Amino acid sequence: RLAVASNFKTTMEALVEAYEREPQDEFQIISGASGVLFSQILRGAPFDIFFSADTDKIERLDKQNRTYGESWTYAIGRMALYTPGRSPSSFLESNDPTDSIALANPRHAPYGAAGAFWLSTHLRSGKPVRYVFGGNVAQAFHYVQSGNTSAGLVALAQLINEEIRPDEYVALPVDEYPLIEQRAAVLNQPNCALTTKFVRFLHSDEAAQIIQRSGYETVDMKR
Amino acid sequence: MTIQITLQQQAPHLAPLSISEVLPSGVCIGVYGPSGSGKTTLLRGISGLSRISGTVQVKDAIWQDENHFLPAHERRAAMVLQSPGLLPHRTVTGNIEFALGFNKRAKPGLLDSILADFGLLPLRDQRADTLSGGEQQRVAMARALAAQPDVLLLDEPLTGLDDEARQTLLQVLMRLKRSGTTCIFVSHSAYEQALLADHLLIMDSGAITKSGSAEQVFAESPPTAALGRELGVVIDDIPVVENVDGLAVVEKDGLRIQLAAGAPPGSSVSIRVRADDVSLTEKSETHSSIMNTIPAVIRAQSSYPDSPFTLVELDASGTRLFARITNAASSKLKVRAGGQVYAQMKAAAITSF
Amino acid sequence: MTIQITLQQQAPHLAPLSISEVLPSGVCIGVYGPSGSGKTTLLRGISGLSRISGTVQVKDAIWQDENHFLPAHERRAAMVLQSPGLLPHRTVTGNIEFALGFNKRAKPGLLDSILADFGLLPLRDQRADTLSGGEQQRVAMARALAAQPDVLLLDEPLTGLDDEARQTLLQVLMRLKRSGTTCIFVSHSAYEQALLADHLLIMDSGAITKSGSAEQVFAESPPTAALGRELGVVIDDIPVVENVDGLAVVEKDGLRIQLAAGAPPGSSVSIRVRADDVSLTEKSETHSSIMNTIPAVIRAQSSYPDSPFTLVELDASGTRLFARITNAASSKLKVRAGGQVYAQMKAAAITSF
Amino acid sequence: MSVEDLQALWLTLKLATSTTFILLVIGLPLSWWLVRSQSVAATVVNVLIALPLVLPPTVIGFYLLIAMGPTGPLGALTSSTGLAPLAFSFPGLVFGSVIYSLPFVIQPLQAGFASVPQSVLDASNTLGAGSKSLLLRVAIPLSQRAVVVASVLGFAHTVGEFGVVLMIGGNIPGETRVASVQIYDHVEALDYASAHQLSLVLVIFSLVVLTAVYRVWGRSVFTQPRHSSA
Amino acid sequence: MSVEDLQALWLTLKLATSTTFILLVIGLPLSWWLVRSQSVAATVVNVLIALPLVLPPTVIGFYLLIAMGPTGPLGALTSSTGLAPLAFSFPGLVFGSVIYSLPFVIQPLQAGFASVPQSVLDASNTLGAGSKSLLLRVAIPLSQRAVVVASVLGFAHTVGEFGVVLMIGGNIPGETRVASVQIYDHVEALDYASAHQLSLVLVIFSLVVLTAVYRVWGRSVFTQPRHSSA
Ligand SMILES: Nc1ncnc2c1ncn2[C@@H]1O[C@H](COP(=O)(O)OP(=O)(O)OP(=O)(O)O)[C@@H](O)[C@H]1O
Ligand SMILES: Nc1ncnc2c1ncn2[C@@H]1O[C@H](COP(=O)(O)OP(=O)(O)OP(=O)(O)O)[C@@H](O)[C@H]1O
Ligand SMILES: [Mg+2]
Ligand SMILES: [Mg+2]
């Protein structure tokens, strides 16, 4: 069973599909907020691999000896500025006092922390804007998508997945905000060959391509 | 001035009702009938609590007809239900003030006069839910009168009360009726109807089987039926001329009657004489323990179908009395209209108020 | 075999009660008193529905004392409450079966005999909530009897019924009482107590102000009070010897009485004669319309304090009668024990069942 | 406890109070109508009020969000009337909470109103009290305890509500970040100590309020009065 | 609709049915006791039952999870009795849902039982019916409609429950992933079409059930009978 942070769910589905060597239903994808999954793993949830949306939770599990083997960074999140109905630059330049921007909660969501940092460093200081926080990056996306905010710092993956017109967003350069490192670990569960094989697949180029196509960066797995 | 009521209801899950009556106003209309005969249904139809098709006209006001239906709160009717339905969280005064609040014609001072009329002054600040059953019924009636309705609707207001409380309230109602308030009084107590009803309606299965002056309806009822047994006369306000040890003597136009009553000389009482309590005799001296032997002229006599009784109507010094005797006794005494007899009744058998 | 009841309750928010009585069993014990006097509280205490401290012992069974408290469902008492409290979703049979289900001593056939006794056979499959008020009360009583209780507790079972239904149920209760069922019958109708009570308790403010044989309590009540007015005798099962046009002649041990009743010759009826309806005379021929003139011997006479009346106890061919006459009449007729008089009563004034 | 926690508690109190107030203003006449009406409309309304129960609150929040957006019906309404948009605002939170907590207020009120003796209503009616007077002067005073229980349930449910609030509130500190969201955030941030602390405050507060209410009025709503008075 | 959606719906149905059943088994005697008892214990229980209302469901789920974990009291209980752990299992879901939906069942049942005429209970009592017989043969048959409404509310609330279920269930397909969680997942994954579809199924299903229930029995729980029979 794969416990996957919600934002990576669609990508993981694609990965599982690509990994067709065994019948697909051998894998169950359990998505949820990383925090929830973390609490559940601590209380003995029957998950085999945990794909967290950040690094912090994996480290804590490590410390508690709940992981098996090395953890690894399976993806690096890419953030985009999404401004439906207009171009990102026009949003950044406008002085409309009703402008608002949605982002995930900086306190516990990696995209939120990154987004907050980016805004503090890259937003024109005089620009009037109201911040709205979603519980996670998906909610931030709902806020923009439903038109309730005029802009949002969301995951590039979401935009690609939703086939949003490219002139309505801009993918932000990775070096403009702290790295959104998403780490995974095999859990201290009775192990089986399938897990090992799948982890190996995830390190493959084929997997990396799928991940990148979905809007993430990858680190060089063979490093 | 009349009250015209035409109400029709005939549907699977509704109480059946089929009424068409023109009734006098300013009097007390009694409604009598067995349980389930539709008495409550009729009152609810008149008050507008139930929507029953037909017309209701009270004096000049049309309360409902084919086109209009005045809702209950806009009809100048006030209903006293069998359970008093007071506002439990309010005091006696508070309950009466509730009714006064909707009565635009209320004059200042009405509250106090009503409290006094119903003997509620000592209870005025007591919460309704701490009152005894009889007190609650009294407040319910007081409250209904505070609304100064054109018609007062009373649904068995005395049922479930103890004898004393019932007697007290009966007297309140008798005063009310004498004051000319129009009221429709539902009760399956023949005794109460005998004291209160001026006009009597008999109901059965949602229809009126008999309607007429109370006296007439009582007289025409079989003598062994509850209604028939209560046939009698009420003589209002006779002055008491003497009272020895609780045996009072009342006198009016030469009619002199002895009865048990506490009323002192100078006051006056109302008395009731039932037809079953009056016997007739040919001679005035009878060696009997019966205290009242009153000369009277026979006005009329009628016998009942299928019954051993004859009803004799008497004129005792201008006051009407009824006597019910057997046919045998009637022949024996050669009773005929115009004949001279003595009416006898025991002092113990006469009730006074 | 007696019923011993000692119950005490005196607390701010509870109905006050203070009783200590030893009562006969196998008879009907009437409880009479004004509204709020604690009659229901007493019954609830006896049945165990309310937890009132004290002891209750019925024949050999101790229902409660200082140490034990048998809950209501384990006491062999069945209570008929003022509102019938039937199971509305069950049929008449279903309601009686509910009670039979808890009665381990029930013999087969009991259901049918109870249905028959209460005239419920035609209604046996009707749902309880479609019955009229009188029918519901009948089922409630039938159901209570199906429990075959050691004591039947009846809380104003006839209140709110129409005259006819009330009369029918009164007769059922009179039959019951004659069969030796112990029952405690609460009612503030003096009339009902006169017909049913063998032993009478008068309650006021939670205490018993008078307790004694019904006859004695009636005789000692002031003659103008509700209870006093209903003083009389019930003569059970007199054979009807003649019946012309509804005027029946009943005869027993030489006592011959005419009254209105439909019962045919050969059958027998119970009759009731109120003291207020009996007058006395010195001569047998009185030129009066009164049909019954019965020779009788005066057994005793007593006068009431502060009252113009004398109560005369008569022996008419072995049957006891009461007559209430004024003191004046008593002097006039020189009434004294052992004296010979004629008791007169109108045929119309005698009730029969 | 941090300033933010206190701020969240204060906001919760404000939200719950406003919501309860509005719930009563809507709920009292609505329940009155539902109890008295025999119409099909009443059934429909009863069902509609109960519907939010079957959907997860987050999903309800999601649909409310869509409705509040510029293209949604509520959004169209607010923009055409010149009002501020509801999403991410305190009024929006109140609106969402009202929708979501309505069944919990309507239900005890209906039960309360239904237990007002018909005889009291009928008698008052013939004395001149129309439907409005009956509600204000008879039904509400006689259902005091049901009103209290309804308020408490509405209040408590609003305090605990989270899915809808998080979704349509946007978690803005001091504006829409109520205590329940704050607790959730603490848990998500693995800051368990703060989560426990804040939960404890809520639970103790509720314990006190509920106990007081049930002790003083509440129980009697469900317990039969010993005397069937008046 | 995907196989997983159908699976989730089926699971929801199973969960809601089991939960409703257990809610009734617990709720009927409990409400009966609460209505009849005048004790302090009854007040305490009433308050405790209402407490889950004030905390966000996710937080309740979180605390339940801790309690069910190997170190928690429930976990200790299950392991000492040799039962399977409750967390992440279907029985655990049922347990959580029962706790969370209890107030919604208890409340209408209490109202229903309280409206059984005291005279019927008293009369039956003196005829020999003890507390248990009174509940089974008098109170429940006479509160049929309240029982139906309680079941419906409990059922609907379980269908819509999500916070608790997500937290203690672990979102395991075919085992603990119920429809509400599935909808939430669809929304999170921005798969709006599937979310709408599944929501619609739930809403229509509920509409049908609620309408039927309210039409046939429900309304009369709140509406006064025209005749105060028996
Ligand atoms: N909603 C209803 N559906 C069917 N039948 C009804 C309904 N309401 C009343 N009834 C029936 O209509 C008849 C008349 O009822 P109503 O209450 O008017 O009688 P009543 O004369 O007032 O009797 P009581 O003396 O017992 O008060 C009864 O047989 C009753 O059962
Ligand atoms: N729970 C209570 N708290 C305070 N007073 C009470 C309570 N229950 C009853 N009472 C009072 O105790 C007295 C006796 O009541 P009870 O019902 O026994 O009277 P009753 O003789 O049966 O009257 P009725 O003829 O009206 O039925 C009444 O005054 C009543 O108000
Ligand atoms: Mg009636
Ligand atoms: Mg009583």
Side-chain angles (χ1 to χ4, degrees):
Chain A
R1 288 197 179 102
L2 313 173
V4 183
S6 314
N7 68 49
F8 200 70
K9 185 188 175 210
T10 346
T11 313
M12 185 56 73
E13 277 166 0
L15 285 169
V16 168
E17 208 171 320
Y19 174 80
E20 273 180 333
R21 270 149 267 189
E22 301 290 335
Q24 207 223 43
D25 59 358
E26 291 277 353
F27 289 103
Q28 287 181 344
I29 297 173
I30 288 133
S31 64
S34 303
V36 170
L37 295 173
F38 171 74
S39 307
Q40 291 173 335
I41 288 163
L42 280 184
R43 322 281 163 216
F47 305 146
D48 297 306
I49 314 178
F50 176 33
F51 298 86
S52 177
D54 57 9
T55 54
D56 177 44
K57 296 179 178 82
I58 297 288
E59 277 161 18
R60 286 196 189 212
L61 287 175
D62 254 343
K63 266 188 220 127
Q64 298 196 28
N65 270 335
R66 294 294 192 117
T67 57
Y68 178 83
E70 289 258 312
S71 65
W72 74 99
T73 301
Y74 63 93
I76 293 168
R78 295 198 54 192
M79 196 161 56
L81 175 62
Y82 173 34
T83 53
R86 55 174 159 173
S87 73
S89 51
S90 77
F91 167 76
L92 289 173
E93 280 152 23
S94 100
N95 273 324
D96 187 343
T98 65
D99 268 348
S100 53
I101 186 162
L103 63 160
N105 194 327
R107 200 156 152 235
H108 50 76
Y111 281 92
F117 179 85
W118 187 86
L119 286 173
S120 66
T121 50
H122 287 80
L123 201 64
R124 217 162 27 87
S125 54
K127 176 168 173 55
V129 70
R130 188 160 171 253
Y131 296 99
V132 172
F133 302 103
N136 53 33
V137 72
Q139 281 188 11
F141 184 80
H142 299 326
Y143 292 163
V144 205
Q145 174 86 324
S146 62
N148 283 298
T149 60
S150 37
L153 283 172
V154 299
L156 180 61
Q158 294 170 321
L159 299 169
I160 291 173
N161 185 40
E162 288 295 291
E163 296 169 5
I164 303 294
R165 282 172 40 213
D167 55 346
E168 288 185 341
Y169 66 85
V170 57
L172 303 174
V174 189
D175 51 7
E176 288 185 359
Y177 51 90
L179 210 57
I180 306 172
E181 226 183 323
Q182 307 200 165
R183 288 184 82 78
V186 174
L187 298 173
N188 236 357
Q189 300 280 341
N191 234 305
C192 69
L194 189 60
T195 311
T196 330
K197 263 202 268 174
F198 186 64
V199 170
R200 210 178 300 134
F201 168 73
L202 287 177
H203 286 80
S204 72
D205 284 343
E206 186 190 352
Q209 268 171 28
I210 293 173
I211 294 172
Q212 283 166 12
R213 228 184 294 132
S214 305
Y216 297 91
E217 292 283 321
T218 51
V219 289
D220 184 359
M221 297 293 177
K222 275 135 200 160
R223 190 180 55 192
Chain B
M1 285 300 183
T2 58
I3 301 174
Q4 292 171 41
I5 301 168
T6 309
L7 291 172
Q8 289 287 343
Q9 175 164 278
Q10 217 76 38
H13 288 285
L14 294 170
L17 193 68
S18 166
I19 301 277
S20 184
E21 285 288 325
V22 179
L23 299 167
S25 77
V27 301
C28 180
I29 296 155
V31 181
Y32 182 88
S35 186
S37 57
K39 306 182 296 293
T40 299
T41 310
L42 173 61
L43 288 199
R44 293 183 67 88
I46 297 174
S47 66
L49 285 177
S50 298
R51 209 186 178 101
I52 300 175
S53 65
T55 64
V56 176
Q57 177 167 358
V58 171
K59 298 175 195 168
D60 297 330
I62 295 173
W63 286 357
Q64 69 179 76
D65 58 18
E66 310 81 53
N67 311 311
H68 300 91
F69 185 89
L70 221 53
H73 63 284
E74 289 175 15
R75 301 188 180 197
R76 301 195 45 79
M79 184 155 163
V80 177
L81 291 91
Q82 190 169 333
S83 55
L86 300 184
L87 297 169
H89 61 296
R90 293 200 183 202
T91 61
V92 169
T93 312
N95 268 280
I96 296 174
E97 278 167 348
F98 177 81
L100 286 174
F102 297 107
N103 178 1
K104 276 151 215 107
R105 305 181 302 187
K107 296 213 179 66
L110 183 57
L111 172 67
D112 286 310
S113 80
I114 285 179
L115 283 172
D117 279 358
F118 283 83
L120 291 172
L121 284 171
L123 300 173
R124 58 184 305 162
D125 295 322
Q126 204 170 322
R127 262 178 70 121
D129 53 5
T130 67
L131 297 172
S132 86
E135 290 160 349
Q136 291 194 8
Q137 274 301 13
R138 238 188 303 157
V139 176
M141 276 190 238
R143 192 172 69 154
L145 278 179
Q148 296 186 307
D150 288 343
V151 179
L152 184 62
L153 305 170
L154 302 163
D155 195 359
E156 309 193 17
L158 309 177
T159 311
L161 298 181
D162 64 85
D163 292 325
E164 221 117 319
R166 183 167 170 233
Q167 206 58 37
T168 314
L169 281 186
L170 260 174
Q171 285 175 43
V172 172
L173 287 175
M174 286 169 78
R175 262 207 320 275
L176 207 71
K177 137 192 160 143
R178 275 186 236 127
S179 76
T181 309
T182 307
C183 66
I184 302 187
F185 173 77
V186 165
S187 166
H188 40 48
S189 157
Y191 171 67
E192 294 169 10
Q193 294 292 6
L195 294 187
L196 287 176
D198 297 305
H199 188 103
L200 196 58
L201 301 180
I202 313 240
M203 287 194 75
D204 205 0
S205 315
I208 289 182
T209 55
K210 200 155 204 172
S211 167
S213 79
E215 205 177 84
Q216 183 191 346
V217 175
F218 271 99
E220 287 171 7
S221 298
T224 49
L227 221 48
R229 298 186 67 87
E230 293 294 343
L231 170 65
V233 293
V234 175
I235 311 172
D236 282 333
D237 297 321
I238 321 187
V240 177
V241 294
E242 213 184 295
N243 194 328
V244 181
D245 272 350
L247 191 71
V249 179
V250 297
E251 193 170 333
K252 182 183 162 188
D253 307 331
L255 174 69
R256 213 180 140 90
I257 296 179
Q258 295 185 49
L259 68 148
S267 64
S268 62
V269 293
S270 298
I271 65 171
R272 174 159 182 266
V273 184
R274 282 168 70 235
D276 279 349
D277 290 329
V278 179
S279 53
L280 302 181
T281 160
E282 291 167 335
K283 301 196 183 159
S284 72
E285 178 44 54
T286 56
H287 312 284
S288 159
S289 65
I290 298 179
M291 296 298 284
N292 298 299
T293 303
I294 298 165
V297 177
I298 295 169
R299 275 220 207 119
Q301 69 157 319
S302 53
S303 62
Y304 295 91
D306 304 322
S307 154
F309 291 105
T310 296
L311 183 64
V312 184
E313 191 185 329
L314 304 165
D315 182 330
S317 316
T319 299
R320 184 153 61 154
L321 287 178
F322 287 109
R324 184 150 43 212
I325 61 178
T326 56
N327 297 334
S330 169
S331 326
K332 173 182 157 203
L333 298 184
K334 304 195 188 63
V335 169
R336 53 175 174 77
Q340 182 77 43
V341 289
Y342 294 90
Q344 289 196 310
M345 48 235 170
K346 295 190 64 183
I350 298 170
T351 34
S352 69
F353 325 93
Chain C
M1 284 301 183
T2 58
I3 301 173
Q4 292 170 40
I5 301 168
T6 307
L7 290 172
Q8 289 287 342
Q9 175 163 279
Q10 215 75 39
H13 287 285
L14 294 170
L17 194 67
S18 166
I19 301 277
S20 183
E21 286 287 325
V22 179
L23 299 166
S25 77
V27 301
C28 180
I29 296 157
V31 182
Y32 182 86
S35 184
S37 57
K39 306 182 294 294
T40 299
T41 309
L42 173 62
L43 286 199
R44 293 182 66 88
I46 297 173
S47 66
L49 285 177
S50 298
R51 206 184 180 102
I52 299 176
S53 65
T55 64
V56 176
Q57 177 169 359
V58 171
K59 297 176 195 164
D60 296 331
I62 295 174
W63 285 358
Q64 70 178 75
D65 57 19
E66 310 82 52
N67 311 312
H68 301 90
F69 184 91
L70 220 56
H73 62 284
E74 290 175 13
R75 301 188 180 198
R76 301 194 43 80
M79 185 155 163
V80 176
L81 291 89
Q82 190 168 333
S83 55
L86 300 184
L87 297 170
H89 61 295
R90 294 199 181 202
T91 61
V92 169
T93 310
N95 268 279
I96 296 173
E97 279 168 347
F98 177 80
L100 286 174
F102 298 106
N103 178 1
K104 276 150 217 108
R105 305 182 303 186
K107 298 212 180 64
L110 183 57
L111 172 67
D112 285 311
S113 81
I114 284 179
L115 284 172
D117 280 358
F118 283 83
L120 292 172
L121 283 171
L123 300 172
R124 59 184 304 160
D125 295 323
Q126 204 169 319
R127 261 178 71 119
D129 54 3
T130 66
L131 297 172
S132 86
E135 291 160 350
Q136 291 195 8
Q137 275 299 13
R138 238 187 305 157
V139 176
M141 277 190 237
R143 191 174 69 155
L145 279 179
Q148 296 185 305
D150 288 342
V151 180
L152 185 62
L153 305 170
L154 302 163
D155 196 359
E156 309 193 15
L158 308 177
T159 312
L161 299 181
D162 65 86
D163 293 324
E164 222 118 318
R166 184 168 169 231
Q167 207 57 39
T168 315
L169 281 187
L170 261 174
Q171 286 173 43
V172 171
L173 287 176
M174 286 168 80
R175 261 208 323 275
L176 208 71
K177 138 192 158 140
R178 273 186 237 128
S179 76
T181 309
T182 306
C183 66
I184 302 188
F185 173 75
V186 165
S187 166
H188 41 46
S189 157
Y191 171 68
E192 293 169 12
Q193 295 292 7
L195 293 186
L196 287 176
D198 296 306
H199 187 103
L200 195 59
L201 301 179
I202 311 238
M203 286 195 74
D204 204 359
S205 317
I208 288 182
T209 55
K210 202 155 201 170
S211 167
S213 79
E215 205 178 84
Q216 182 191 346
V217 175
F218 271 100
E220 289 171 5
S221 298
T224 49
L227 221 47
R229 297 186 69 87
E230 293 294 343
L231 170 67
V233 293
V234 175
I235 311 171
D236 282 333
D237 298 320
I238 320 187
V240 178
V241 294
E242 212 184 296
N243 194 329
V244 182
D245 271 352
L247 191 70
V249 179
V250 299
E251 192 171 333
K252 181 184 162 190
D253 305 331
L255 174 71
R256 212 180 142 89
I257 297 178
Q258 295 186 50
L259 69 148
S267 64
S268 63
V269 293
S270 298
I271 65 171
R272 174 157 181 266
V273 184
R274 280 168 70 233
D276 279 349
D277 289 329
V278 179
S279 54
L280 302 181
T281 159
E282 291 166 335
K283 301 191 181 165
S284 72
E285 177 45 52
T286 57
H287 313 284
S288 159
S289 65
I290 299 177
M291 296 298 284
N292 297 300
T293 302
I294 297 164
V297 177
I298 296 170
R299 275 224 206 117
Q301 70 157 321
S302 54
S303 61
Y304 294 90
D306 305 322
S307 154
F309 289 106
T310 296
L311 183 64
V312 183
E313 193 186 327
L314 304 164
D315 181 332
S317 314
T319 299
R320 184 153 60 154
L321 287 177
F322 286 108
R324 184 149 42 212
I325 61 177
T326 57
N327 296 336
S330 169
S331 326
K332 175 183 154 199
L333 297 184
K334 301 195 189 63
V335 168
R336 56 177 171 76
Q340 181 78 43
V341 290
Y342 294 90
Q344 289 198 309
M345 48 234 169
K346 297 189 65 183
I350 298 171
T351 35
S352 68
F353 327 94
Chain D
M1 220 180 301
S2 70
V3 175
E4 290 191 337
D5 283 359
L6 288 175
Q7 204 179 35
L9 279 176
W10 168 240
L11 206 58
T12 290
L13 196 67
K14 217 173 88 181
L15 174 65
T17 313
S18 327
T19 303
T20 308
F21 176 76
I22 294 177
L23 280 172
L24 285 180
V25 168
I26 299 173
L28 287 169
L30 188 57
S31 311
W32 182 236
W33 175 70
L34 288 173
V35 167
R36 284 167 70 85
S37 170
Q38 314 274 343
S39 67
V40 179
T43 309
V44 171
V45 171
N46 240 329
V47 169
L48 286 183
I49 290 172
L51 260 193
L53 276 177
V54 299
L55 285 180
T58 323
V59 173
I60 294 171
F62 174 67
Y63 285 119
L64 279 176
L65 199 63
I66 293 178
M68 286 170 174
T71 54
L74 285 171
L77 192 77
T78 48
S79 70
S80 73
T81 53
L83 293 171
L86 283 174
F88 317 125
S89 67
F90 187 76
L93 278 199
V94 173
F95 178 83
S97 302
V98 166
I99 298 278
Y100 192 60
S101 293
L102 200 54
F104 305 105
V105 170
I106 292 288
Q107 215 216 336
L109 285 183
Q110 286 198 57
F113 288 160
S115 69
V116 173
Q118 192 61 39
S119 63
V120 177
L121 293 173
D122 281 348
S124 305
N125 196 192
T126 69
L127 290 175
S131 191
K132 203 179 121 201
S133 301
L134 286 180
L135 172 61
L136 294 178
R137 304 215 225 163
V138 182
I140 293 181
L142 263 70
S143 314
Q144 263 180 49
R145 305 179 194 116
V147 174
V148 170
V149 168
S151 314
V152 166
L153 285 184
F155 191 93
H157 199 251
T158 306
V159 168
E161 215 301 288
F162 148 78
V164 174
V165 161
L166 179 63
M167 194 55 115
I168 66 179
N171 201 353
I172 301 170
E175 207 167 322
T176 60
R177 181 183 294 166
V178 295
S180 60
V181 172
Q182 180 78 350
I183 298 179
Y184 174 77
D185 278 358
H186 284 322
V187 171
E188 287 291 276
L190 313 185
D191 181 358
Y192 295 138
S194 302
H196 295 339
Q197 201 178 36
L198 201 50
S199 295
L200 204 67
V201 171
L202 275 191
V203 165
I204 288 178
F205 173 74
S206 319
L207 258 178
V208 171
V209 171
L210 285 174
T211 308
V213 164
Y214 273 99
R215 201 69 212 155
V216 179
W217 300 283
R219 301 245 345 286
S220 1
V221 176
F222 300 120
T223 344
Q224 287 247 334
R226 250 162 302 176
H227 262 70
S228 54
S229 60
Chain E
M1 219 178 304
S2 70
V3 176
E4 290 191 336
D5 283 357
L6 289 176
Q7 204 178 34
L9 278 176
W10 168 241
L11 206 58
T12 290
L13 198 67
K14 217 173 84 181
L15 174 65
T17 313
S18 328
T19 303
T20 307
F21 177 76
I22 294 179
L23 280 172
L24 287 180
V25 168
I26 299 174
L28 288 169
L30 188 57
S31 311
W32 181 236
W33 175 68
L34 288 173
V35 167
R36 285 166 68 85
S37 169
Q38 312 275 340
S39 67
V40 179
T43 309
V44 171
V45 171
N46 239 328
V47 169
L48 287 182
I49 291 172
L51 261 194
L53 276 177
V54 298
L55 285 181
T58 323
V59 174
I60 294 171
F62 176 67
Y63 286 117
L64 279 177
L65 196 61
I66 293 180
M68 288 170 172
T71 55
L74 286 170
L77 192 77
T78 47
S79 69
S80 73
T81 52
L83 293 169
L86 283 173
F88 318 118
S89 68
F90 186 75
L93 276 199
V94 174
F95 179 83
S97 303
V98 166
I99 297 278
Y100 192 60
S101 293
L102 200 55
F104 305 105
V105 170
I106 292 288
Q107 215 215 338
L109 285 183
Q110 287 199 56
F113 288 160
S115 70
V116 174
Q118 192 61 40
S119 62
V120 178
L121 294 173
D122 281 348
S124 305
N125 196 192
T126 69
L127 290 174
S131 190
K132 201 178 124 203
S133 301
L134 287 180
L135 171 61
L136 294 177
R137 303 215 226 163
V138 183
I140 293 179
L142 263 70
S143 313
Q144 262 179 50
R145 305 178 194 116
V147 175
V148 171
V149 167
S151 315
V152 167
L153 285 183
F155 191 92
H157 199 252
T158 307
V159 169
E161 215 303 288
F162 149 78
V164 174
V165 162
L166 180 63
M167 193 54 112
I168 65 180
N171 199 357
I172 300 168
E175 204 166 321
T176 60
R177 183 182 291 166
V178 294
S180 61
V181 173
Q182 180 78 350
I183 298 178
Y184 175 77
D185 272 4
H186 284 322
V187 172
E188 290 291 275
L190 312 184
D191 183 356
Y192 297 137
S194 303
H196 294 339
Q197 201 179 36
L198 202 50
S199 295
L200 204 67
V201 171
L202 275 191
V203 166
I204 288 177
F205 173 74
S206 319
L207 258 178
V208 171
V209 171
L210 285 174
T211 308
V213 164
Y214 273 98
R215 201 69 212 154
V216 179
W217 301 283
R219 299 248 344 286
S220 3
V221 176
F222 301 120
T223 342
Q224 287 247 332
R226 249 163 302 177
H227 263 69
S228 53
S229 61

